[in-house]
Amino acid sequence: MFTEVEKLAEQKKAAHNNLEHEKDILIEQLISMGIFKSGNSQLFELSVTDLRKEYEQYSKNEQ
């Protein structure tokens, strides 16, 4: 049986994995759109929030 601390650790790990998965998907989508960098930063250096902004910006431009 898990203790509360172990449950919280598992939830935190799951949340981190979900963010990493979302980050991977966003990077793949941006690359497929021909976007490889944002300013001076490589895509993998950006946060999920920054990647979302980049994706929103470029997906609007493609419409």
Side-chain angles (χ1 to χ4, degrees), residues 3-19:
T3 66
E4 284 299 313
V5 172
E6 290 171 326
K7 285 180 187 177
L8 290 173
E10 284 297 315
Q11 289 172 349
K12 184 176 180 181
K13 183 178 176 182
H16 175 75
N17 288 341
N18 287 341
L19 282 176

Side-chain angles (χ1 to χ4, degrees), residues 37-49:
K37 291 180 81 176
S38 175
N40 292 330
S41 300
Q42 299 292 324
L43 295 178
F44 69 88
E45 297 174 310
L46 300 177
S47 69
V48 172
T49 303

Side-chain angles (χ1 to χ4, degrees), residues 12-35:
K12 184 176 180 181
K13 183 178 176 182
H16 175 75
N17 288 341
N18 287 341
L19 282 176
E20 287 299 312
H21 181 68
E22 181 181 359
K23 185 174 181 174
D24 291 342
I25 290 170
L26 286 166
I27 289 171
E28 287 175 15
Q29 290 173 332
L30 286 165
I31 289 172
S32 73
M33 295 163 65
I35 311 302

